[in-house]
Amino acid sequence: MDYVLGIDIYSLNSPDDSSNANNDPNLKAANWRAVYDSGVRFAYVKASEYRADAGFAERMQYAKAAGLLRGAYILPHFELDNVADQVNLFIQTVGSDQGELPPALDLETPGGNWPVGRALFKKIKDCLDRMSQAFGRKPIIYTSQSIVRQFQITNPAWGMDYDMWVASYPYADFVNRLQYTDPNHPPMWSSKYPPQPDGYKPWVIWQWTEKGRIAGMGHENVDIDLFKGTYADFLKWAKATAPTPVTPSPQPVPPQPQPPQPQPVPPQPVPPMPVPPSPTPEGKFVSYTVKKEDTLGGIALAHIRQYHIQKNMFEMIDAIVAANPETITNKNIIHEGWMLKIPTS
């Protein structure tokens, strides 16, 4: 079965958030590129919920540079009576760069306090209409069968007018209640799974785990999605062309400090005993033990700065991989406790 991998992220759970990148632009870009290298080809980025999600515009640019197709989503609070204000904030936050994918309306009640039935239908349709008018294309609806049944929003008159993105998390290990986590081995769908929301179009995107693990996002749980079809199908659905990842420009490396000049030594009455020279480190390497939150990009940048190495981050990553061929078989995956040889020249 053909599929295209995606993720959906927000300010506290993203390749460029503070826990993953420590506000380092090089590391942010490297993490996003690691996401792309792991097979992910699209990202839905949260733009607003009550207020604008911090870093939205920057996050969209990092995703674009990495080669991902992007879309923005809003998580509305329908327990409030200000749908128009919430959508206007979403529109303002997205601005001129809405990405390549349809905007998404996230129907998952944050606090469980939504109205039900007809009152909720009216608010949802108002939100959808405002988004369609602002962006010139119909939104995709994110929800689940359980949500539409809980809040009595099954079989709307407009249910077949919008594409659907459904959430349902099967167990990889049913006995221990463990979800699938590996983006390279997602669960497969069938005619009965994931469950289809009643009275809506058949799903095109499926969020199949909320506990995925993706290179570039440390040890965080990640929402992972799949589009049902080939990449060509995906581009056709999105009405987009395949983006090309941007190769970042090398960052300037500070000049190496000049070694201190030797001081004159006064003559000694008795010549000292000869001292054997200290052995030269073989191949100019240092050893480094991988720590829990390390990424290969972070290790590369730290050693570039410490040893004033005349390489950019991507060249340094390649050098580290080349120096550890038996340990590093995938540059996007390293593990705590590994002992690595780090080249210092």
Side-chain angles (χ1 to χ4, degrees), residues 5-337:
L5 283 176
I7 58 174
D8 52 279
I9 44 102
Y10 66 105
S11 57
L12 301 181
N13 183 227
S14 175
D16 53 81
D17 67 27
S18 58
S19 64
N20 285 319
N22 198 28
N23 294 319
D24 185 326
N26 281 322
L27 193 49
K28 290 180 180 182
N31 286 347
W32 271 104
R33 186 54 189 263
V35 169
Y36 176 90
D37 289 343
S38 70
V40 174
R41 291 296 178 268
F42 70 92
Y44 265 102
V45 182
K46 184 178 184 179
S48 64
E49 176 194 358
Y50 278 138
R51 54 181 177 268
D53 202 46
F56 167 79
E58 180 187 45
R59 194 159 296 118
M60 291 283 278
Q61 289 306 304
Y62 278 118
K64 180 179 181 179
L68 277 69
L69 274 73
R70 309 149 302 143
Y73 76 88
I74 176 177
L75 177 56
H77 283 248
F78 288 125
E79 71 275 17
L80 304 176
D81 292 323
N82 63 344
V83 170
D85 292 339
Q86 292 185 57
V87 177
N88 286 339
L89 173 62
F90 173 69
I91 294 166
Q92 293 167 9
T93 302
V94 172
S96 60
D97 184 11
Q98 62 177 283
E100 299 74 31
L101 307 180
L105 176 61
D106 185 350
L107 298 185
E108 54 171 321
T109 171
N113 298 316
W114 283 359
V116 298
R118 183 176 299 178
L120 183 54
F121 271 140
K122 183 177 180 181
K123 290 188 173 186
I124 292 172
K125 190 59 167 66
D126 184 22
C127 194
L128 291 167
D129 289 344
R130 292 175 184 274
M131 292 170 68
S132 297
Q133 183 176 7
F135 296 107
R137 63 194 306 185
K138 289 183 177 181
I140 186 171
I141 298 173
Y142 167 93
T143 193
S144 65
Q145 186 186 81
S146 60
I147 285 289
V148 301
R149 291 181 177 181
Q150 178 184 356
F151 292 94
Q152 301 173 28
I153 50 173
T154 59
N155 300 297
W158 39 262
M160 294 297 170
D161 295 338
Y162 299 91
D163 287 333
M164 295 299 294
W165 170 13
V166 300
S168 189
Y169 314 133
Y171 292 127
D173 179 347
F174 190 84
V175 172
N176 294 301
R177 300 294 194 269
L178 298 178
Q179 293 182 24
Y180 287 82
T181 61
D182 185 353
N184 296 309
H185 297 92
M188 287 293 99
W189 62 89
S190 69
S191 59
K192 296 182 179 180
Y193 200 91
Q196 175 68 31
D198 308 283
Y200 292 82
K201 285 179 72 173
W203 63 272
V204 295
I205 297 177
W206 172 24
Q207 184 187 86
W208 49 269
T209 185
E210 59 182 350
K211 297 186 181 297
R213 292 302 173 92
I214 293 282
M217 294 189 66
H219 297 278
E220 295 184 9
N221 290 327
V222 186
D223 292 343
I224 307 181
D225 311 280
L226 63 79
F227 172 87
K228 182 170 57 174
T230 65
Y231 190 57
D233 295 333
F234 180 61
L235 293 175
K236 183 178 179 180
W237 171 77
K239 299 180 175 63
T241 56
T244 302
V246 176
T247 302
S249 300
Q251 297 298 309
V253 178
Q256 296 189 22
Q258 295 297 319
Q261 296 298 315
Q263 299 297 315
V265 179
Q268 300 294 319
V270 179
M273 295 295 291
V275 178
S278 298
T280 303
E282 182 183 352
K284 296 185 178 178
F285 293 98
V286 295
S287 296
Y288 181 80
T289 303
V290 177
K291 300 178 179 63
K292 182 178 180 181
E293 300 299 330
D294 277 341
T295 63
L296 203 52
I299 294 171
L301 285 172
H303 285 81
I304 286 172
R305 293 166 180 158
Q306 182 176 354
Y307 293 97
H308 307 289
I309 299 169
Q310 297 292 328
K311 289 183 174 72
N312 63 42
M313 182 186 66
F314 295 96
E315 292 170 338
M316 188 63 180
I317 289 174
D318 289 340
I320 295 172
V321 172
N324 299 271
E326 296 182 359
T327 304
I328 304 176
T329 57
N330 183 333
K331 70 174 65 176
N332 299 314
I333 301 174
I334 58 175
H335 293 288
E336 181 183 2

